[in-house]
Amino acid sequence: MPVYPDEPFFSLAPDWVCEVLSPSTVGFDRVKKMPVYLREQVGHVWLIDPLARTLEVFRRESDHWGLVNNFADDQRVRAEPFEAVELELEVLWRPSNEGP
C-alpha cells in the first residue's frame, strides 16, 4: 500500500487472504467469501483446516479460483505467493499449550 489512508477502512484489495476454517464457518468461508475475494481481485487465498491438518492454496485465474496445491500434516512447503519462505505445517497443528 503506497500511502496509508486516513479512513476507517481500506478500498485496496489484499494480494493474499488466509482463512482458518472451523466446522461452524467452513461453508460460509468457501461459498460466500471466496466469490467476494474473486470479485475484489484478491490474488491468492489459503484455506487452513486445523482439524483436517490441511492447507489449500488457490490462485485467481481471471474469473475463477484455480487450486494450486494441497498440503497436509507435517509437510514443509513453499506456497504461493510466498515461495521464498519455507513453512513447516506441523507448527500450525501444535496444541497451544506446548509452547514454541
Side-chain angles (χ1 to χ4, degrees), residues 5-55:
D6 186 22
E7 300 175 353
F9 60 89
F10 300 128
S11 58
L12 180 64
D15 297 325
W16 167 78
V17 169
C18 180
E19 291 284 353
V20 178
L21 305 176
S22 69
S24 63
T25 64
V26 66
F28 186 77
D29 293 335
R30 289 182 181 278
V31 177
K32 299 291 186 182
K33 288 184 176 179
M34 292 282 288
V36 172
Y37 297 149
L38 186 66
R39 181 190 73 213
E40 297 302 319
Q41 299 186 359
V42 172
H44 289 83
V45 172
W46 288 9
L47 298 179
I48 295 178
D49 186 334
L51 296 178
R53 296 171 47 118
T54 60
L55 164 61

Side-chain angles (χ1 to χ4, degrees), residues 49-94:
D49 186 334
L51 296 178
R53 296 171 47 118
T54 60
L55 164 61
E56 295 173 275
V57 178
F58 294 89
R59 179 190 318 123
R60 183 173 43 84
E61 307 276 346
S62 67
D63 65 346
H64 68 279
W65 288 111
L67 178 64
V68 175
N69 216 327
N70 287 318
F71 302 105
D73 298 321
D74 62 351
Q75 284 184 278
R76 291 176 176 256
V77 305
R78 293 185 181 273
E80 289 187 23
F82 305 110
E83 302 94 337
V85 178
E86 185 175 76
L87 174 65
E88 296 178 48
L89 291 184
E90 187 174 31
V91 300
L92 299 177
W93 325 133
R94 181 182 299 147

